[in-house]
Amino acid sequence: MTLSRATIENKIYNAIIEAGSNTNVIFMYPNAPRPPFPYTAINFREIGPQINPWKLFNRTTNLVEYYEARPMRYTISCYSDDMLQAQDETSRLQGSLIKDTVRYNLEVDAPISINVMTNIKNNTLLVDEDYECRSMFDIIFSV
């Protein structure tokens, strides 16, 4: 079964909504408008090489089916006008993404699991004349 990026990103979006307290969640695209603070952004980074491909013979169709898993990296960034609020949200997300209910909901109807979450980073940046408070981490899914 090949999963479309739309299916994968829909599952990731729902997991971020379920795990965090911020309901203003977007996917980042170049030059796309950004919502008012606070919000959480999901940014696709890369698809890695296949992991342990395998094949099975389907007795119903008499065909050999090929399967593989691939790592997919996303950056989760929390934006706010208050640094503590941005860091609190990233901490909340990391803590809640490991819950069994969130992981189960990721795997329902699509085989997606969380492999690794990186350390939380302060990525505050000067934008125009004000500081934009950002806190972020990477998450690698096995899809």
Side-chain angles (χ1 to χ4, degrees):
M1 170 171 105
T2 301
L3 291 177
S4 69
R5 270 268 307 277
T7 300
I8 294 164
E9 291 188 349
N10 185 44
K11 299 295 278 181
I12 292 170
Y13 177 87
N14 290 337
I16 297 298
I17 288 286
E18 182 182 352
S21 66
N22 192 353
T23 57
N24 200 5
V25 176
I26 64 165
F27 278 90
M28 285 293 255
Y29 297 106
N31 297 323
R34 299 191 307 167
F37 294 137
Y39 68 93
T40 300
I42 306 167
N43 195 356
F44 169 76
R45 292 295 182 194
E46 66 184 354
I47 299 174
Q50 64 185 4
I51 302 169
N52 299 327
W54 70 95
K55 58 186 174 182
L56 293 172
F57 181 73
N58 185 327
R59 291 176 189 219
T60 305
T61 62
N62 289 329
L63 295 173
V64 175
E65 297 175 347
Y66 292 88
Y67 297 91
E68 67 181 22
R70 289 188 179 265
M72 294 183 75
R73 179 185 296 264
Y74 286 83
T75 298
I76 310 299
S77 302
C78 296
Y79 294 81
S80 178
D81 51 6
D82 179 316
M83 190 63 230
L84 294 177
Q85 183 181 15
Q87 288 176 344
D88 286 348
E89 184 63 14
T90 51
S91 292
R92 184 178 294 108
L93 282 169
Q94 272 198 345
S96 294
L97 284 169
I98 63 171
K99 290 181 179 177
D100 289 340
T101 55
V102 174
R103 287 178 178 245
Y104 174 78
N105 288 337
L106 264 174
E107 294 177 7
V108 172
D109 301 326
I112 300 171
S113 62
I114 297 171
N115 274 358
V116 177
M117 289 187 274
T118 63
N119 295 335
I120 295 172
K121 299 173 189 155
N122 177 357
N123 195 27
T124 298
L125 187 66
L126 184 63
V127 177
D128 296 327
E129 295 178 1
D130 292 322
Y131 282 98
E132 185 174 83
C133 300
R134 302 174 180 181
S135 186
M136 60 180 276
F137 65 95
D138 283 356
I139 186 167
I140 300 172
F141 296 93
S142 178
V143 180

